[in-house]
């Protein structure tokens, strides 16, 4: 029998993305989350727990249970 302690990649956490609950693996980073959510990486800004995260830090910013992620997309208009 495999437990979470035996295979930590099976451990899931809950975060809020634009105030909606999302379940993800415990070691997921912001960039991977955006990819999983099929968000366009070029036109997106991210705030983690009310702080803007620079795009250069998305790959190294690991999510924690209870994190609040706000995604903002640029909208072209005229």
């Amino acid at each position: 029998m495999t437990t979470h302690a035996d295979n930590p990649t099976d451990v899931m956490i809950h975060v809020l993305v634009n105030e909606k609950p999302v379940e993800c693996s415990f070691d997921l980073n912001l960039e991977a989350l955006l990819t999983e959510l099929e968000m366009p990486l070029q036109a997106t800004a991210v705030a983690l727990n009310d702080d803007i995260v620079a795009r250069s830090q998305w790959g190294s910013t690991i999510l924690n249970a209870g994190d609040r992620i706000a995604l903002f997309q640029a909208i072209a208009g005229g």
Side-chain angles (χ1 to χ4, degrees):
M1 180 170 142
T2 301
T3 66
H4 290 306
D6 295 333
N7 190 0
T9 59
D10 290 341
V11 176
M12 302 299 282
I13 62 170
H14 292 91
V15 297
L16 291 176
V17 177
N18 292 343
E19 300 182 16
K20 295 180 182 173
V22 172
E23 185 177 69
C24 61
S25 63
F26 83 103
D27 59 348
L28 198 67
N29 63 49
L30 278 175
E31 188 171 20
L33 175 68
L34 293 176
T35 300
E36 280 189 12
L37 296 175
E38 298 179 356
M39 297 291 293
L41 299 181
Q42 295 296 53
T44 302
V46 179
L48 176 64
N49 300 322
D50 301 321
D51 292 320
I52 296 294
V53 179
R55 186 179 313 276
S56 62
Q57 296 177 337
W58 290 0
S60 62
T61 301
I62 304 298
L63 300 175
N64 295 298
D67 278 347
R68 297 178 327 278
I69 299 120
L71 306 177
F72 305 93
Q73 289 195 289
I75 299 174

